[in-house]
Amino acid sequence: DAGVIQSPRHEVTEMGQEVTLRCKPISGHNSLFWYRQTMMRGLELLIYFNNNVPIDDSGMPEDRFSAKMPNASFSTLKIQPSEPRDSAVYFCASSTPERIEAFFGQGTRLTVV
Amino acid sequence: AQSVTQLDSHVSVSEGTPVLLRCNYSSSYSPSLFWYVQHPNKGLQLLLKYTSAATLVKGINGFEAEFKKSETSFHLTKPSAHMSDAAEYFCVVSDRPGGYNKLIFGAGTRLAVHP
């Protein structure tokens, strides 16, 4: 099992640019989560998908953030336009109803300059 | 709403001595609780989980945690620290808004292990 795969591992971009983070969940997992980790706020849930449908996006900070899950094996988190305060590590995690814990990817470290 | 409080932001121990990382939780019903570990520049790895079975839960790498309802605590322990245990540890509670398992993370405890 390859685990949750995220790309890129590191992203440096200029303020105002569009950023797209990608995630491939574990095969067979029907729940997918995007988390953001910062020094100030710790780990925060941004959005949760179940069976490719967004169920809870109350953690998405503002309209500049959007997430999609076009199929069971792929999800994206997009920031447009990016701002320096978006700099953080973004984690994707997946799970199943039978396993209440989530399995995390290695994360994407985003730096907006 | 569910929440967890990690009582120490930093813990420092010597190699070979016991480790204690403290966590208190707040829950309106019987919670599911977890400890995750994050090594530098790595993702989060599940150490152990409590789901209303045995109150003493054994995890990977010699760690264990005890669920104490009367104290609303779920402290993480290890009898003898190893240098490779140096990492950040997160106590996590599962909430179920709308029927799905939402993980609520504590602020984390950074464990340093000295020779």
Side-chain angles (χ1 to χ4, degrees), chain B residues 9-59:
Chain B
S9 59
H10 291 83
V11 170
S12 181
V13 301
S14 297
E15 191 175 21
T17 64
V19 175
L20 170 64
L21 305 183
R22 299 182 294 165
C23 173
N24 286 351
Y25 69 90
S26 173
S27 173
S28 55
Y29 51 83
S30 184
S32 295
L33 293 158
F34 312 81
W35 278 95
Y36 279 81
V37 61
Q38 184 179 27
H39 288 91
N41 300 313
K42 299 286 188 183
L44 292 119
Q45 181 184 19
L46 180 69
L47 272 180
L48 50 80
K49 65 180 177 182
Y50 167 78
T51 57
S52 75
T55 57
L56 182 63
V57 182
K58 294 188 182 300

Side-chain angles (χ1 to χ4, degrees), chain A residues 12-71:
Chain A
V12 180
T13 190
E14 291 185 347
M15 182 173 62
Q17 296 297 306
E18 177 181 295
V19 176
T20 300
L21 311 182
R22 297 172 175 79
C23 174
K24 176 179 169 57
I26 293 172
S27 178
H29 284 195
N30 62 348
S31 296
L32 185 137
F33 307 83
W34 282 100
Y35 282 83
R36 179 172 68 175
Q37 184 178 35
T38 61
M39 290 292 291
M40 291 295 293
R41 301 174 67 90
L43 275 151
E44 306 171 277
L45 177 66
L46 299 178
I47 188 167
Y48 160 67
F49 289 88
N50 186 53
N51 292 325
N52 313 337
V53 176
I55 302 300
D56 181 358
D57 65 355
S58 59
M60 295 287 263
E62 47 196 280
D63 292 346
R64 298 185 297 107
F65 286 69
S66 63
K68 294 182 179 180
M69 192 164 186
N71 57 63

Side-chain angles (χ1 to χ4, degrees), chain A residues 66-106:
Chain A
S66 63
K68 294 182 179 180
M69 192 164 186
N71 57 63
S73 59
F74 184 64
S75 176
T76 60
L77 178 67
K78 185 177 293 186
I79 308 172
Q80 165 64 16
S82 57
E83 297 182 3
R85 59 194 169 115
D86 301 330
S87 297
V89 181
Y90 291 81
F91 287 102
C92 177
S94 69
S95 186
T96 68
E98 297 78 26
R99 303 285 296 271
I100 62 170
E101 70 271 29
F103 296 83
F104 285 78
Q106 297 278 63

